[in-house]
Amino acid sequence: MRKAFISPTKYVQGEDELLNLGYFVKTFGDSALLIAHPDDVSRVKEKLDFTINKFNIKLVESDFHGECSREEVARLQALATEYSCSCTIGLGGGKAIDTAKCVAEGEALIIVPTIAATDAPTSHSAVLYTPEGAFDDYAYFKQSPSVVMIDTTVIANAPTRFLVSGMGDALSTYFEARATSRSYSNVNAGLPCGVNEGVCAEAKGTKTALALAKLCYETLLEDGVKAKLSSDRNVVTPALENIIETNILLSGLGFESGGLAAAHAIHNGLTSLEGTHHYYHGEKVAFSTIAQLVLENADKAEIQEVITFCAAVGLPICLADIGVVHMSDEELMEVAEKACIKEESIHSMPFPITAEAVAAAITVADQIGREFKISKGM
């Protein structure tokens, strides 16, 4: 059996870590293309100026247009060539990070998230959009970023909703990895099809990945509420440090090397409902995780544990919490069918999947969540 595990070359996090950015740039050369939204640059400008002067490097600002499109990637690659940049820095949220991945194409890449809202920073994949913001395609690269650098002071001063959303994304990690392991399904850590003709693209998850995914869940339960309180106060505490690591590193390694299953597929189906468009990825994944647990007939105590955690940190536990106040039977089936298309990760569940079963799981998960809220006077 072929197994695979993928990770960044280096992961480092700490208070004011951004002051050391120049050190990592120096491992590649003297200059870097900085891909970041102007608002994110302004948030950390003093630290960027400090690291530029301390390490005598040059950061070429790119005037990032805000969308990870083929056109923007081509423009930025030309800019990197024009200024002979030694490496690429993706600083900010998901769009800037994914754009940097596409520009670097797996070489000399430093990722600096300014929020802990998703597990994308550590991965070797990106999502491409059209210039208008519509989905275009997925992109995969030969390796994960060279360096993932987390300044926990910057994360602590970001809106708490981002951190909580990241916990929602991380919440699914263990349950999806567990399902993938039980079904012996392939994971993203294997070579993407077509990268090297004649090389096997299939790979199963490792015990290491499953163990990290389980640690991800355990840390959420232990430190999630405390980390939220720290973020509310804009202070760095051990609990916040642990949840930042959980949201970004443990969840990132867990999903890519442990596998995705029903939760992310159901999330993708839910995006067809207009009401969900105002909610973050991790918020929708949290409810979708409950739906996966219903779909697999998980132990009642486990479902209650997940719902209790979500309620404690402010994650959605029913459809109304993600903007779906009413859903017709036709809309429900549309969501379920989208979650069940051939390419979706839901087929990594260890049993046959039907759209009818998914629709039923969503309905029951919603009911469980609503009853929980009533019982708690929420």
Side-chain angles (χ1 to χ4, degrees), residues 277-307:
H277 295 175
H278 302 292
Y279 292 83
Y280 295 150
H281 171 81
E283 293 171 334
K284 289 175 279 192
V285 169
F287 171 75
S288 300
T289 300
I290 300 169
Q292 174 178 319
L293 292 173
V294 172
L295 181 65
E296 63 184 322
N297 196 28
D299 185 81
K300 180 181 178 181
E302 186 173 65
I303 295 176
Q304 283 298 117
E305 183 177 67
V306 169
I307 290 178

Side-chain angles (χ1 to χ4, degrees), residues 93-304:
K95 293 293 179 73
I97 288 171
D98 275 4
T99 302
K101 290 178 186 178
C102 293
V103 170
E105 296 182 335
E107 298 285 356
L109 174 62
I110 302 173
I111 296 296
V112 187
T114 55
I115 55 176
T118 71
D119 50 21
T122 65
S123 79
H124 76 311
S125 61
V127 183
L128 283 161
Y129 296 86
T130 68
E132 296 73 33
F135 173 78
D136 180 2
D137 200 1
Y138 293 105
Y140 294 88
F141 308 101
K142 65 180 182 180
Q143 59 192 16
S144 299
S146 308
V147 179
V148 176
M149 168 186 285
I150 316 293
D151 188 321
T152 54
T153 311
V154 172
I155 302 294
N157 282 280
T160 298
R161 185 180 173 189
F162 288 124
L163 184 80
V164 172
S165 177
M167 285 193 262
D169 199 18
L171 179 64
S172 71
T173 304
Y174 170 59
F175 301 109
E176 292 190 282
R178 182 177 71 180
T180 301
S181 175
R182 289 173 176 175
S183 65
Y184 294 94
S185 296
N186 294 321
V187 299
N188 289 347
L191 286 171
C193 295
V195 170
N196 287 318
E197 191 172 345
V199 176
C200 178
E202 296 185 352
K204 313 304 177 185
T206 61
K207 288 179 68 65
T208 298
L210 185 59
L212 291 174
K214 186 175 182 182
L215 179 61
C216 180
Y217 179 58
E218 292 169 347
T219 309
L220 288 173
L221 296 182
E222 176 67 25
D223 288 322
V225 172
K226 292 179 287 183
K228 179 183 182 298
L229 295 174
S230 300
S231 181
D232 287 340
R233 294 286 184 173
N234 303 122
V235 295
V236 178
T237 62
L240 181 62
E241 291 271 8
N242 289 344
I243 290 301
I244 291 170
E245 180 182 344
T246 297
N247 286 5
I248 295 175
L249 182 62
L250 290 176
S251 184
L253 300 181
F255 99 80
E256 199 160 39
S257 294
L260 297 175
H264 272 77
I266 293 171
H267 161 277
N268 294 343
L270 288 169
T271 61
S272 65
L273 301 175
E274 186 175 350
T276 68
H277 295 175
H278 302 292
Y279 292 83
Y280 295 150
H281 171 81
E283 293 171 334
K284 289 175 279 192
V285 169
F287 171 75
S288 300
T289 300
I290 300 169
Q292 174 178 319
L293 292 173
V294 172
L295 181 65
E296 63 184 322
N297 196 28
D299 185 81
K300 180 181 178 181
E302 186 173 65
I303 295 176
Q304 283 298 117

Side-chain angles (χ1 to χ4, degrees), residues 56-74:
N56 192 28
I57 60 166
K58 180 179 180 181
L59 296 184
V60 178
E61 295 196 30
S62 60
D63 189 27
F64 175 51
H65 291 172
E67 199 59 73
C68 183
S69 66
R70 297 175 190 272
E71 293 82 355
E72 180 71 342
V73 169

